[in-house]
Amino acid sequence: MQKINKILPLLLAGTLTACGGSSDPAPTVNDAEPGLGHDVTQVPSASAAFYVPKFADTSGTLTVTQVSSRETQQFTVNDLNQMTIALDAGRVYQFEFSPSSEQVFCPRKLGCGRALRDDPNDLNGNDEIDFGEPVSANVSYSLAAKLIAGQNQLYFSSYATLLSESQSDSTVLSLTNTPVYHLSHSRINQSLQAEYAARAFTYADIMRQLNIEVRQDDQISPLADAFELAYKHSDNTLWQSYIDEVNQYFIETLLDEKDSILFANVVEQVLLNANEALQLQDMVTLADSETVFNNDLLDHFRDSLGVVRLQEEKYSDELDIKLREIENLATDEAVQESFLALSEAIYNVVDAVSPARNSEPGNYQVNDLDIVYTIDPSFNWRVTGFNRGFEVSIDVTMPEWRKSPTLGDRIAGSGVASVRKGDVSLEADLDDIFLLFDGSIDDENLKTATGTSRFAGKITLQTSASTTKADMRLRLNRVMSPRNSVESILANLRVRGDFETANQITPVTLYAAERSPFEFDTSLDLAFGLHVDFDLKGGPDFQLQLAVDDPSNVTNLNSAEISYLLGGRVMQLDVRRSGDNNNIVAQGKDGYWLDIKQKGRNFTGGYYYGDQQIGDVKTVRGIPGVLFPDGSFESLF
């Protein structure tokens, strides 16, 4: 993990302001004219390319409407993913795609459940709906986007469709410079991230409609209803089932030997962006730009430096300590292991002693766990002992049990559990425990011990230095290893709550996923996404997001990618360091970005709107800034 306690001061104040200090007065800044010297009547051209997940037909009709003028164009396409069209930059458009066929295909590599008798969707007649076979689900594709000069890549998905009607700007959710389904300044990794997110959003819609888990209390209402309840009425009950399916797609992608090769390189950023985009809160409406040439990003950049400087005056040590404490928690191996130890213990106990095995009430021992099992009035397990070196205490009740060799045995319930080792303890009050086995539990078939499970509820995580009280959602996979043994994988984890130490009480969200499940290493190999809300002096709404690809890499500051919100505006920073040379790319809202190259006391680069340069980054009299065509010069700090 990079030293996140140093990133903000280093990348902003430390990197940029360290080269100031000239005694010469700054160049005079003229009152900038509209357009900063550019032709304000010019409407730069934009190109739009598209991506739609191949869970449906990619041929069909694309309808493009400019929202303000209501001008509409229609295109017939053989493959939308190969199409590019020219439009105007700075304008909001709505795009609707109608596939030639309404047929939707099973998006799940493991298949979409049992087929009905004589089911025409069972193309190979194996009584299963396999990956790529037709399913009974409906998916619609539309999105609203404000295009920028140059290339725009737009990603259709069920989530983009939900935001389309209201033309909501989701940048404040995922802290991206454009809505999460719109790339304006991208690299290969960002394109991969957007593709995986679009697939996950659409996969989740299809699987939610299919409801192959068939829980008795499931309510399968239209996704739009779940969205409205969550966004307008703060009722997340139905919306959470959609989020669960989104994360299930990420889990299954990592478990697919072929797909995981690419996905493992971007998993931490996808987890962060996709999940944060689904944490619905107030969003503004996309609107046309009055002029496509402005210096708003520079104003935001300077505001950010100003906030950091305020911390330096009095609070730099405090901020440094706060970030370091969060880093210490995320990299603590015992903390990571505690989540695996707790969930695995519950899974092992229920697998070994259960109604499916016709277990009689009584006392049992599984490895180092002592079990008291009762069945009246409901199946109950009280467990003490040890798992993975942690002291374990469990009391869970499972009133719902399904035995099915074809659909898989399933058990659901709730309970409390805790694990402790040394200074680390994890206590969980779980209102949702759901275990799904791959088949029917059979003493002679090791594969029946494989399956997936989810755990959700409130936790208290304590270390010698901190207490975290949070909502937790966890997915555990039990899979067969190449050594023909059943292994536990911490597939997906989200912890959202308050992180408390002697120095702070800070809202924190931590996402984690096992990066390399095929290696079956005895140690966890987790990728992390981190979202932190800080109440900074001068920036009470400050939010920081950081994707972390290597927890053991604690000293490498040669590169960093962070996103943050300040004053209701988002910015993404991409930093590359080589010796004494620095390169910072700052991306702001509506496709504006700033490229700063620093070598010693000299700064060069450019200020851009999409692919069109607006101004030059120059060093004048020792002061770095941006020179515009109208002759005005604006300092970077």
Side-chain angles (χ1 to χ4, degrees):
M1 177 185 285
Q2 297 156 348
K3 279 287 188 180
I4 61 176
N5 55 298
K6 295 181 179 178
I7 281 180
L8 279 181
L10 173 68
L11 302 190
L12 295 179
T15 298
L16 294 179
T17 65
C19 294
S22 170
S23 59
D24 295 331
T28 301
V29 178
N30 300 326
D31 292 331
E33 297 293 330
L36 306 166
H38 296 273
D39 181 1
V40 295
T41 64
Q42 176 191 3
V43 180
S45 62
S47 65
F50 305 92
Y51 174 82
V52 60
K54 294 182 179 180
F55 305 145
D57 193 347
T58 59
S59 69
T61 303
L62 177 70
T63 303
V64 182
T65 303
Q66 188 182 113
V67 172
S68 57
S69 68
R70 304 311 300 171
E71 295 180 4
T72 298
Q73 304 178 66
Q74 209 168 66
F75 305 87
T76 300
V77 298
N78 292 324
D79 184 354
L80 184 64
N81 293 347
Q82 301 299 318
M83 183 183 185
T84 301
I85 60 175
L87 298 167
D88 292 336
R91 303 290 184 261
V92 178
Y93 290 87
Q94 278 193 308
F95 303 84
E96 296 185 9
F97 175 60
S98 301
S100 299
S101 168
E102 295 182 355
Q103 188 69 71
V104 176
F105 306 104
C106 172
R108 187 169 183 250
K109 291 292 181 70
L110 299 177
C112 292
R114 295 285 292 174
L116 299 174
R117 184 180 179 87
D118 298 324
D119 194 332
N121 292 338
D122 181 15
L123 302 182
N124 61 5
N126 67 346
D127 296 327
E128 301 278 348
I129 299 299
D130 301 310
F131 174 71
E133 290 187 328
V135 293
S136 299
N138 297 306
V139 180
S140 60
Y141 294 108
S142 63
L143 62 82
K146 180 175 173 179
L147 301 189
I148 64 141
Q151 184 174 356
N152 298 257
Q153 182 71 48
L154 305 176
Y155 295 82
F156 282 101
S157 70
S158 294
Y159 177 69
T161 299
L162 294 171
L163 300 182
S164 175
E165 183 177 351
S166 59
Q167 298 153 39
S168 296
D169 180 355
S170 65
T171 56
V172 296
L173 302 182
S174 56
L175 302 197
T176 51
N177 67 316
T178 51
V180 71
Y181 51 80
H182 177 191
L183 286 186
S184 60
H185 179 64
S186 63
R187 297 184 306 278
I188 292 176
N189 272 4
Q190 289 176 310
S191 297
L192 283 174
Q193 293 165 24
E195 284 188 19
Y196 281 119
R199 292 180 206 169
F201 292 146
T202 308
Y203 165 101
D205 183 11
I206 297 171
M207 296 306 295
R208 188 174 176 275
Q209 292 181 55
L210 297 179
N211 189 30
I212 62 174
E213 292 183 352
V214 197
R215 288 190 60 172
Q216 295 176 2
D217 56 350
D218 279 347
Q219 301 179 48
I220 309 303
S221 60
L223 184 58
D225 291 351
F227 175 83
E228 183 174 6
L229 284 171
Y231 184 46
K232 295 183 179 180
H233 305 286
S234 299
D235 182 352
N236 292 292
T237 306
L238 299 178
W239 185 244
Q240 184 58 55
S241 68
Y242 178 64
I243 297 175
D244 288 343
E245 292 290 359
V246 168
N247 283 290
Q248 184 62 29
Y249 176 80
F250 297 143
I251 292 169
E252 292 174 4
T253 301
L254 279 171
L255 285 172
D256 184 273
E257 191 167 8
K258 181 180 178 180
D259 286 349
S260 67
I261 293 173
L262 288 176
F263 184 53
N265 294 323
V266 296
V267 58
E268 66 278 358
Q269 195 68 60
V270 177
L271 280 175
L272 186 61
N273 287 349
N275 276 280
E276 285 299 308
L278 299 175
Q279 306 306 312
L280 302 178
Q281 53 184 283
D282 289 341
M283 292 176 277
V284 299
T285 302
L286 292 167
D288 289 348
S289 298
E290 294 182 8
T291 173
V292 296
F293 304 109
N294 64 59
N295 61 350
D296 290 349
L297 175 59
L298 291 179
D299 291 341
H300 189 204
F301 196 75
R302 284 193 299 269
D303 289 347
S304 301
L305 291 175
V307 169
V308 173
R309 282 204 194 93
L310 284 176
Q311 318 316 311
E312 290 185 334
E313 291 176 1
K314 184 177 179 181
Y315 301 104
S316 61
D317 290 341
E318 179 182 338
L319 180 60
D320 182 78
I321 289 171
K322 287 181 177 180
L323 284 166
R324 191 186 314 118
E325 288 175 337
I326 296 172
E327 179 191 57
N328 290 341
L329 179 73
T331 56
D332 190 316
E333 292 182 2
V335 168
Q336 297 178 18
E337 192 83 8
S338 67
F339 290 95
L340 183 58
L342 184 145
S343 55
E344 182 186 63
I346 296 176
Y347 195 103
N348 284 345
V349 164
V350 176
D351 175 37
V353 181
S354 72
R357 297 190 187 277
N358 297 316
S359 301
E360 295 291 336
N363 298 331
Y364 295 84
Q365 186 168 22
V366 176
N367 298 325
D368 294 324
L369 296 173
D370 296 317
I371 306 167
V372 178
Y373 174 61
T374 57
I375 62 173
D376 188 17
S378 186
F379 307 116
N380 176 262
W381 294 255
R382 293 189 179 185
V383 184
T384 56
F386 292 87
N387 186 49
R388 292 182 176 265
F390 284 82
E391 183 180 356
V392 174
S393 176
I394 298 172
D395 185 350
V396 296
T397 299
M398 307 287 198
E400 181 185 342
W401 181 273
R402 179 191 71 192
K403 184 174 177 64
S404 172
T406 53
L407 298 178
D409 287 355
R410 185 192 66 197
I411 189 166
S414 60
V416 294
S418 66
V419 294
R420 176 185 295 275
K421 181 165 69 173
D423 294 328
V424 174
S425 70
L426 174 63
E427 298 178 358
D429 186 353
L430 303 170
D431 55 23
D432 181 19
I433 302 174
F434 183 79
L435 311 181
L436 181 63
F437 300 90
D438 288 335
S440 187
I441 293 176
D442 182 346
D443 288 329
E444 298 180 358
N445 186 355
L446 187 59
K447 289 186 178 181
T448 59
T450 62
T452 185
S453 55
R454 70 169 180 255
F455 304 85
K458 297 187 179 300
I459 65 163
T460 299
L461 173 64
Q462 289 189 304
T463 70
S464 60
S466 68
T467 300
T468 304
K469 295 183 178 180
D471 291 323
M472 178 199 74
R473 304 196 76 85
L474 182 153
R475 288 276 184 150
L476 178 78
N477 280 342
R478 297 272 287 174
V479 298
M480 187 69 64
S481 79
R483 299 185 298 272
N484 201 36
S485 62
V486 177
E487 304 289 344
S488 296
I489 295 175
L490 185 62
N492 191 281
L493 171 67
R494 188 204 77 185
V495 175
R496 181 185 296 273
D498 290 331
F499 174 72
E500 181 176 354
T501 70
N503 303 299
Q504 63 177 311
I505 301 177
T506 300
V508 173
T509 304
L510 181 71
Y511 300 99
E514 174 65 56
R515 177 189 298 281
S516 54
F518 280 101
E519 295 180 7
F520 294 102
D521 199 341
T522 54
S523 60
L524 289 173
D525 178 22
L526 298 180
F528 291 96
L530 181 68
H531 182 111
V532 184
D533 293 8
F534 279 119
D535 186 4
L536 298 183
K537 182 178 176 65
D541 67 339
F542 183 79
Q543 298 177 32
L544 169 69
Q545 288 182 359
L546 175 68
V548 182
D549 62 353
D550 186 358
S552 66
N553 192 6
V554 297
T555 59
N556 180 16
L557 288 176
N558 290 328
S559 63
E561 295 181 24
I562 64 173
S563 301
Y564 66 88
L565 180 144
L566 181 68
R569 295 180 293 176
V570 299
M571 185 181 293
Q572 296 170 261
L573 290 180
D574 183 0
V575 178
R576 297 291 178 263
R577 296 170 56 84
S578 177
D580 294 331
N581 300 332
N582 297 311
N583 183 200
I584 297 178
V585 175
Q587 301 177 57
K589 191 177 177 182
D590 296 338
Y592 288 89
W593 58 285
L594 182 64
D595 182 20
I596 305 171
K597 296 178 175 63
Q598 177 205 358
K599 185 174 183 179
R601 299 177 66 87
N602 189 45
F603 288 78
T604 58
Y607 181 47
Y608 298 85
Y609 170 63
D611 67 352
Q612 185 162 342
Q613 187 166 355
I614 299 174
D616 288 308
V617 173
K618 293 181 176 294
T619 305
V620 180
R621 299 177 193 170
I623 296 176
V626 178
L627 180 65
F628 295 102
D630 67 353
S632 63
F633 180 88
E634 296 213 16
S635 171
L636 288 174
F637 58 90

